[in-house]
Amino acid sequence: MQPVAARPDTDSSHRPRRALPALCVTQIASWGIVYYAFPVLNPQITRDTGWPASATTAAFSFALIVSALTGIPVGRIIDRHGPRLVMTAGSVLAATALLLIAAAPNLLCFTAGWFLAGTAMAAILYQPAFAALTRWWAPHHIRALTYVTLAGGLASTVFAPITASLSDRLSWRATYTVLAILLAAITVPTHAVALNAPWPRAAPATRMSSKPRAPVERTRTFWTLASALTLSALGAYAVVIALVPLLVERGYTTAQAAWALGLGGLGQTLGRTLYARLADRTSPSRRAALLTALGGGATVALALAPGPYVLLVALSMTAGMVRGNLTLLQATAVIDRWGATNYGRLSGILGAPVTAASALAPFIGAVLVGPVGGYTSLFLFLASLAFIASALSWVT
């Protein structure tokens, strides 16, 4: 199907009405089943198989890195042909991968299943959804991106309890089999039917009309931005994993620490509702610098404030609000600076190191906590990464 010319800003007739609600539904199912089911099932997996938890977690982290690398060619395909084929095929592959994981007789097969799952993640999670909505909804894409990330934020709320309930009654293998069937039933027909719309020609950038002489991905601005987002993601997601042991180290109970972490997730969802207002009032570089600096400030406060508990919860929610906005910041970074023409490819390149950093953050945090002298020092180090990211963002 040939691309059609982009409509004027006031004409929304080219936007497929079913695409946004469909992607909200499929993001909940995809994140909930492919991503959030694993931490729920992993204790049962290791107990049943005898495989080390470090090895099973490494397989899952490996999938995230595969997803980061696969996102680049996936983005290029979406730029040319639209999201329907990619996301439908990705749904089929994701369900197949989960079935392989469920049937894995050994750790090697288990890891191979997660390799396929990582490839599928690149085709069904935020990145392809963002590419679709950015092209169909531009220049009013921020609202659509906000809706789909708000829906994605509900994935753990919906599917963590479902997964836990299934695992109480079934083995982890049977649970993954049921989830694979459910994933296929929800996402395959939805992507195939709801994303069947003409793929419009990309509109040019509205905020920065000058074009770089070199390809965008070879410019200093692009890689400075990528470095800023990567450092910010590394710090933000290491904080998520380290928050519970930090609070336990200070004498709070595990339950109190878990509640602080959970309410931080609520802050993440609430923060996304504020992004559109922030985008209307700031330039892309100033917005990135502000958000990453706020993240660093919240991390410093968590490191230095011994209490009271309500203050630590508030700081956790603040850090969560920043994380929620960082998701949308990454989603809009390309179109804000270079337009939508090669959004899928450029966003894939930009997102690869960010996703890899997010995947490695738990491991890096665990390795550093000893050498830096404990969780308080670790949080100060992570805050420094955020402040470096803020400085880098200022010049992008």
Side-chain angles (χ1 to χ4, degrees), residues 33-390:
I33 293 174
V34 181
Y35 188 93
Y36 287 109
F38 174 76
V40 176
L41 293 175
N42 194 38
Q44 189 177 352
I45 293 172
T46 56
R47 185 172 60 251
D48 180 60
T49 61
W51 301 334
S54 59
T56 56
T57 303
F60 181 71
S61 297
F62 174 58
L64 298 178
I65 295 173
V66 170
S67 173
L69 298 176
T70 309
I72 299 172
V74 165
R76 186 178 293 113
I77 294 171
I78 291 177
D79 282 337
R80 296 176 180 174
H81 305 291
R84 186 192 182 204
L85 177 61
V86 166
M87 298 194 77
T88 304
S91 296
V92 174
L93 181 61
T96 302
L98 292 180
L99 291 175
L100 178 59
I101 290 167
N106 52 53
L107 190 55
L108 179 61
C109 291
F110 183 82
T111 303
W114 279 111
F115 173 84
L116 292 180
T119 304
M121 287 180 192
I124 62 173
L125 296 183
Y126 278 150
Q127 206 69 25
F130 288 165
L133 295 175
T134 296
R135 182 73 68 90
W136 273 323
W137 260 258
H140 308 294
H141 51 282
I142 291 179
R143 180 180 301 176
L145 295 175
T146 300
Y147 286 148
V148 82
T149 54
L150 286 173
L154 296 174
S156 61
T157 305
V158 174
F159 277 96
I162 290 175
T163 303
S165 179
L166 287 171
S167 65
D168 285 341
R169 296 165 176 80
L170 303 169
S171 69
W172 69 270
R173 296 181 186 276
T175 298
Y176 259 136
T177 300
V178 172
L179 291 175
I181 294 170
L182 185 60
L183 179 70
I186 294 173
T187 62
V188 173
T190 303
H191 287 152
V193 173
L195 302 184
N196 185 20
W199 190 231
R201 184 175 294 115
T206 57
R207 297 197 180 202
M208 298 180 67
S209 57
S210 60
K211 296 182 179 179
R213 296 179 181 177
V216 169
E217 65 271 26
R218 296 181 184 177
T219 61
R220 179 181 299 177
T221 298
F222 183 87
W223 286 108
T224 301
L225 178 62
S227 299
L229 292 175
T230 300
L231 287 174
S232 179
L234 178 59
Y237 287 97
V239 164
V240 172
I241 301 301
L243 180 61
V244 170
L246 172 76
L247 297 186
V248 170
E249 186 177 74
R250 291 182 177 171
Y252 295 97
T253 67
T254 301
Q256 287 175 314
W259 270 105
L261 179 61
L263 290 172
L266 176 62
Q268 185 170 312
T269 300
L270 293 175
R272 288 169 178 165
T273 65
L274 305 176
Y275 186 81
R277 295 179 188 177
L278 182 63
D280 288 338
R281 292 166 172 77
T282 56
S283 67
S285 59
R286 301 301 180 262
R287 183 161 64 252
L290 174 63
L291 287 171
T292 49
L294 284 174
T299 305
V300 168
L302 283 167
L304 299 180
Y309 178 69
V310 66
L311 173 61
L312 295 173
V313 169
L315 291 173
S316 177
M317 292 186 70
T318 301
M321 293 176 72
V322 172
R323 287 196 306 275
N325 278 278
L326 288 175
T327 302
L328 289 167
L329 181 71
Q330 182 185 341
T332 58
V334 169
I335 192 172
D336 282 346
R337 293 167 175 80
W338 300 289
T341 302
N342 296 306
Y343 177 92
R345 177 174 59 84
L346 292 176
S347 188
I349 297 172
L350 188 69
V354 177
T355 302
S358 302
L360 294 173
F363 172 76
I364 292 174
V367 168
L368 289 178
V369 67
V372 300
Y375 285 99
T376 296
S377 298
L378 175 64
F379 269 57
L380 291 174
F381 171 75
L382 296 175
S384 72
L385 297 183
F387 291 133
I388 293 171
S390 180

